[in-house]
């Protein structure tokens, strides 16, 4: 089973309107030469529509960093999956470690958000990952196993085709301290095995698993060379066109 590499840039709460559009335009201009890979960017909510317009006609997809678990109604400050779709998003991040740790999102809420997104026709990147303490205490696998089991609860094998997994060790995010290829390989193969247990061997082999955490142009090749690594979810290095292009173009 060959899986198409998937490189995604999570802009987090960075860039303004002008620099976001300039970045999108620079990526779109270069994307005409790209084959054999999927690329997506995740701008802040308020710029989604404009970035989607800047990328229209290119192969680059636009996603949202967050989504409400509710469909509509009196939920001040929230944004629904249907609204995201309405402005041109085709994907959403669920369970990013910053949502889990800074905003207290637990696995059940992550699961409800994932269902809201899939239900509205959006694809999902489900993020999982352990903290430094969990790794030190030997609980990396149970932690990730739980995030997968609860995060994917109620997701059918058919719908799994619209889900990408992202392994983002919390201690590697924004630290410049990325996981070693051996650590990444161990967790990715654990995730693949878990998916085979929950679904089937065939379904598991079709799922793409990205690595995220201090990915740069100079480490993407080594990471992509690891078994079961099918792409990257990039934070800091996705904010600057040359850095992100180096990752997208260095990935294969
Ligand atoms: P950095 O690439 O800045 O470490 O961030 C990773 C991340 O959180 C992507 O979602």
């Amino acid at each position: 089973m060959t899986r198409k590499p998937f490189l995604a840039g999570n802009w987090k709460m960075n860039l303004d309107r002008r620099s976001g559009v300039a970045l999108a335009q620079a990526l779109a201009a270069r994307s005409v030469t790209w084959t054999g890979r999927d690329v997506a960017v995740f701008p802040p909510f308020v710029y989604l529509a404009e970035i989607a317009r800047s990328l229209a006609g290119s192969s680059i997809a636009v996603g949202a960093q967050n989504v409400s678990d509710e469909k509509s109604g009196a939920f001040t400050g929230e944004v629904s999956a249907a609204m995201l779709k309405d402005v041109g998003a085709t994907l959403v991040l669920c369970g990013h470690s910053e949502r889990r740790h800074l905003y207290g999102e637990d696995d059940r809420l992550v699961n409800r958000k994932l269902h809201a997104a899939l239900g509205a026709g959006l694809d999902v990147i489900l993020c999982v990952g352990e903290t430094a303490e969990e790794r030190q205490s030997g609980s990396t696998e149970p932690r990730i196993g739980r995030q997968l089991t609860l995060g994917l609860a109620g997701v059918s094998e058919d719908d799994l085709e619209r889900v990408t997994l992202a392994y983002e060790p919390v201690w590697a995010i924004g630290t410049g301290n990325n996981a070693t290829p051996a650590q990444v390989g161990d967790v990715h193969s654990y995730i693949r095995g878990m998916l085979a247990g929950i679904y089937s061997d065939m379904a598991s082999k079709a799922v793409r698993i990205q690595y995220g955490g201090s990915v740069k142009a100079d480490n993407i090749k080594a990471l992509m060379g690891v078994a079961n690594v099918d792409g990257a979810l990039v934070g800091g290095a996705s904010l600057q066109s040359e850095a992100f292009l180096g990752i997208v173009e260095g990935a294969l």
Side-chain angles (χ1 to χ4, degrees), residues 36 47 66 84 134 139 142 147 160 174 190 201 221 238 243:
Y47 303 136
N66 189 18
L84 296 174
E134 286 162 345
S139 47
Q147 289 173 332
L160 189 68
Y190 173 75
D201 206 38
K221 273 231 164 356
S238 73

Side-chain angles (χ1 to χ4, degrees), residues 6 8 18 47 54 57 70 92 101 112 115 122 135 164 167 178 182-183 188 217 220 229 233 242 244 248:
F6 183 11
R18 234 169 66 142
Y47 303 136
S54 303
E70 298 285 351
V92 71
H101 293 100
R112 288 202 303 276
H115 280 287
L122 297 169
R135 174 162 285 273
T164 294
Y167 168 52
N178 64 302
Q183 289 170 324
H188 282 227
I220 186 69
V229 174
L233 181 56
E242 282 313 309
F244 192 56
V248 169

Side-chain angles (χ1 to χ4, degrees), residues 6 90-94 113-115 117-118 122-126 162-165:
F6 183 11
T90 57
L91 290 146
V92 71
L93 295 182
C94 287
K113 291 185 171 203
L114 184 145
H115 280 287
L118 291 177
L122 297 169
D123 291 350
V124 169
I125 298 181
L126 172 63
R162 298 197 284 128
V163 178
T164 294
L165 266 295

Side-chain angles (χ1 to χ4, degrees), residues 28-163:
R30 275 277 271 278
S31 67
V32 291
T33 63
W34 299 342
T35 51
R37 77 207 87 187
D38 289 329
V39 179
V41 294
F42 292 78
F45 281 149
V46 290
Y47 303 136
L48 271 173
E50 190 157 356
I51 299 299
R53 275 195 298 276
S54 303
L55 294 173
S58 83
S59 58
I60 304 171
V62 182
Q65 300 170 19
N66 189 18
V67 64
S68 174
D69 60 320
E70 298 285 351
K71 278 206 164 98
S72 66
F75 301 102
T76 301
E78 291 293 289
V79 177
S80 74
M83 291 168 182
L84 296 174
K85 191 155 188 232
D86 201 20
V87 297
T90 57
L91 290 146
V92 71
L93 295 182
C94 287
H96 190 278
S97 85
E98 287 144 22
R99 300 299 319 166
R100 293 178 189 267
H101 293 100
L102 303 175
Y103 299 98
E105 291 190 10
D106 64 12
D107 288 311
R108 285 178 179 79
L109 178 58
V110 171
N111 177 253
R112 288 202 303 276
K113 291 185 171 203
L114 184 145
H115 280 287
L118 291 177
L122 297 169
D123 291 350
V124 169
I125 298 181
L126 172 63
C127 306
V128 299
E130 81 289 359
T131 63
E133 297 71 43
E134 286 162 345
R135 174 162 285 273
Q136 272 145 26
S137 66
S139 47
T140 298
E141 291 188 356
R143 177 74 180 121
I144 287 169
R146 196 179 150 78
Q147 289 173 332
L148 282 177
T149 319
L150 296 177
L152 291 172
V155 175
S156 68
E157 189 158 319
D158 278 353
D159 280 346
L160 189 68
E161 287 175 13
R162 298 197 284 128
V163 178

Side-chain angles (χ1 to χ4, degrees), residues 183-208:
Q183 289 170 324
V184 175
D186 285 349
V187 175
H188 282 227
S189 86
Y190 173 75
I191 292 173
R192 183 92 54 215
M194 280 285 305
L195 293 172
I198 303 171
Y199 296 96
S200 65
D201 206 38
M202 209 177 78
S204 160
K205 286 195 173 121
V207 175
R208 292 182 292 189

